[in-house]
Amino acid sequence: GQNIDQPTEMTATEGAIVQINCTYQTSGFNGLFWYQQHAGEAPTFLSYNVLDGLEEKGRFSSFLSRSKGYSYLLLKELQMKDSASYLCAVRWGAGSYQLTFGKGTKLSVIP
Amino acid sequence: GAVVSQHPSWVICKSGTSVKIECRSLDFQATTMFWYRQFPKQSLMLMATSNEGSKATYEQGVEKDKFLINHASLTLSTLTVTSAHPEDSSFYICSARRLAGVYEQFFGPGTRLTVL
């Protein structure tokens, strides 16, 4: 199977830092994506990791450990508009462009 | 750049009718387009992958005769839900991938289908 696990819900305070974890099956791994999705809207691309390490992009960072089948998305200086679902998606198989999405983590940012 | 549009944004239809949803890449050529379905509070489930000029590849459990996909050009793919039933009510989202060298998929705004 191609299981992707991430927490269902998280709550964090405005201005704080939150880390959303994602684990996946390592066999055939070929890239991991994070998307943000507001309710009733399509996902928007946040980050892409295919090599181990941290990718930083403004307030958002994403980390990958291929050997552990583990990634996290780090959101800094949280804003109310960051309240959304965060989807971890994995691509398996060389030459494949298909993505398998996790169930998403609903993040609620509170004042 | 990399804008994907979908039309219509929402549609309500009677059970037994067919509905066509269009997905267009507005400012790039899409070699591959993907169709997803998302039920409330669920994640995106890939339905099919379509490449321009060839037949779509459907995921297991998706009826190809019910969900007809046509990728007639590098900027347009259509999904037709034939003989729709209430259980087909869902949020349908397409995405498009640009030519080789670009890794991410660009998503359309989605189409909310309600079958009465």
Side-chain angles (χ1 to χ4, degrees):
Chain A
Q2 296 175 328
N3 292 330
I4 301 172
D5 292 314
Q6 50 181 130
T8 304
E9 294 184 57
M10 298 182 72
T11 301
T13 307
E14 189 177 14
I17 299 173
V18 70
Q19 177 175 313
I20 302 173
N21 297 324
C22 172
T23 58
Y24 61 89
Q25 292 189 311
T26 59
S27 179
F29 173 81
N30 190 26
L32 186 143
F33 299 75
W34 284 96
Y35 284 86
Q36 180 192 60
Q37 186 180 28
H38 286 98
E41 299 180 9
T44 54
F45 170 78
L46 291 178
S47 68
Y48 168 67
N49 295 75
V50 67
L51 299 176
D52 292 346
L54 187 69
E55 295 282 341
E56 298 188 75
K57 194 182 291 186
R59 295 190 298 116
F60 294 72
S61 303
S62 58
F63 171 83
L64 177 70
S65 169
R66 289 174 296 171
S67 62
K68 295 182 179 178
Y70 168 70
S71 172
Y72 67 73
L73 179 69
L74 193 71
L75 291 77
K76 304 175 186 175
E77 301 170 15
L78 280 173
Q79 302 175 8
M80 300 299 289
K81 67 178 182 179
D82 296 330
S83 294
S85 286
Y86 291 85
L87 309 178
C88 173
V90 177
R91 186 171 63 198
W92 280 285
S96 170
Y97 294 97
Q98 292 182 345
L99 296 180
T100 300
F101 282 82
K103 293 187 176 180
T105 299
K106 183 178 180 181
L107 174 66
S108 298
V109 180
I110 58 175
Chain B
V3 178
V4 177
S5 70
Q6 275 185 246
H7 178 80
S9 54
W10 59 271
V11 57
I12 301 173
C13 68
K14 293 182 179 180
S15 185
T17 60
S18 295
V19 175
K20 180 186 282 188
I21 302 170
E22 292 186 349
C23 176
R24 292 181 185 272
S25 56
L26 298 184
D27 51 3
F28 65 99
Q29 293 184 323
T31 53
T32 307
M33 288 184 170
F34 304 88
W35 286 96
Y36 295 85
R37 182 167 52 183
Q38 187 176 33
F39 292 106
K41 298 185 179 181
Q42 299 289 317
S43 193
L44 282 75
M45 295 298 295
L46 180 65
M47 298 175 67
T49 302
S50 73
N51 293 294
E52 183 265 339
S54 63
K55 289 184 178 181
T57 302
Y58 291 81
E59 294 301 299
Q60 194 172 11
V62 178
E63 301 175 56
K64 62 180 181 181
D65 293 331
K66 180 171 182 63
F67 298 99
L68 302 179
I69 292 173
N70 186 298
H71 194 157
S73 75
L74 285 172
T75 60
L76 173 64
S77 176
T78 60
L79 168 68
T80 301
V81 183
T82 62
S83 187
H85 288 95
E87 57 265 31
D88 298 323
S89 299
S90 187
F91 193 47
Y92 291 86
I93 306 175
C94 74
S95 70
R97 189 184 74 83
R98 289 190 292 197
L99 296 175
V102 179
Y103 44 80
E104 72 264 35
Q105 296 180 21
F106 300 94
F107 284 83
T111 297
R112 175 75 59 190
L113 170 64
T114 301
V115 184
L116 302 177

